[in-house]
Amino acid sequence: MKNNSENTNAFLIHISSFAGYLFPLGSIITPLILWQTQKERSAFLDDHGKEAVNFNISFSLYIFILSASFFSFFFGDIFRSIGRGNHLDFGNSISFSGDLFGIFGIASLVSIVTLIKIALIIIAAMKANNGEVYKYPFTIKFIK
């Protein structure tokens, strides 16, 4: 029965990452709290907790970098458009013609990375529920 309980707790550690959709930084804080409270119980829970926390920190960093580049495209296009005209007539001077692909390209990348994150969390949770060890891809090992 202990093994089944460990599997369920590891499953919950991974699934708790979806708390990030309910409150800011919830995808990092919730698995971190669950891992810290259960890591002493077994090496299995300790491994899954570290993986979940490292994965969520890594992907939060990736999404932050992509989002920051989105704003650089957006504001760069605005300033370039303002620089072309001699006045600040926003109706005529901002066209978004040059970097429109860049803006939508970055937004698409953020969406794709988010979908990959959701899929990987579900895969890890299912593996944990089956008692298997799962290593997330594209993860920076912040906690060893």
Side-chain angles (χ1 to χ4, degrees), residues 5-141:
S5 174
E6 287 179 2
N7 294 351
T8 303
N9 287 335
F11 172 82
L12 291 174
I13 288 172
H14 289 289
I15 289 296
S16 69
S17 300
F18 290 123
Y21 295 109
L22 300 175
F23 58 93
L25 298 176
S27 64
I28 298 170
I29 294 171
T30 310
L32 181 65
I33 291 170
L34 289 175
W35 168 58
Q36 287 296 317
T37 58
Q38 298 179 8
K39 71 179 179 179
E40 302 298 326
R41 292 184 186 176
S42 73
F44 181 74
L45 290 173
D46 188 36
D47 289 340
H48 277 280
K50 286 178 189 175
E51 278 297 312
V53 171
N54 283 329
F55 172 75
N56 286 304
I57 292 172
S58 298
F59 267 73
S60 295
L61 182 66
Y62 301 150
I63 290 173
F64 175 77
I65 291 169
L66 285 172
S67 298
S69 62
F70 170 80
F71 287 111
S72 67
F73 276 108
F74 181 74
F75 287 118
D77 195 37
I78 286 176
F79 291 134
R80 236 178 283 113
S81 296
I82 291 173
R84 284 186 222 135
N86 293 332
H87 53 78
L88 293 176
D89 182 14
F90 289 106
N92 295 327
S93 65
I94 297 179
S95 64
F96 293 108
S97 60
D99 289 332
L100 189 60
F101 178 75
I103 291 171
F104 286 118
I106 298 292
S108 298
L109 281 175
V110 169
S111 299
I112 290 169
V113 168
T114 302
L115 290 175
I116 290 171
K117 179 182 177 182
I118 291 169
L120 289 175
I121 289 170
I122 292 171
I123 290 169
M126 298 308 291
K127 295 273 186 178
N129 201 27
N130 292 333
E132 302 173 35
V133 175
Y134 182 76
K135 300 290 182 192
Y136 286 103
F138 315 114
T139 302
I140 301 168
K141 300 293 181 194

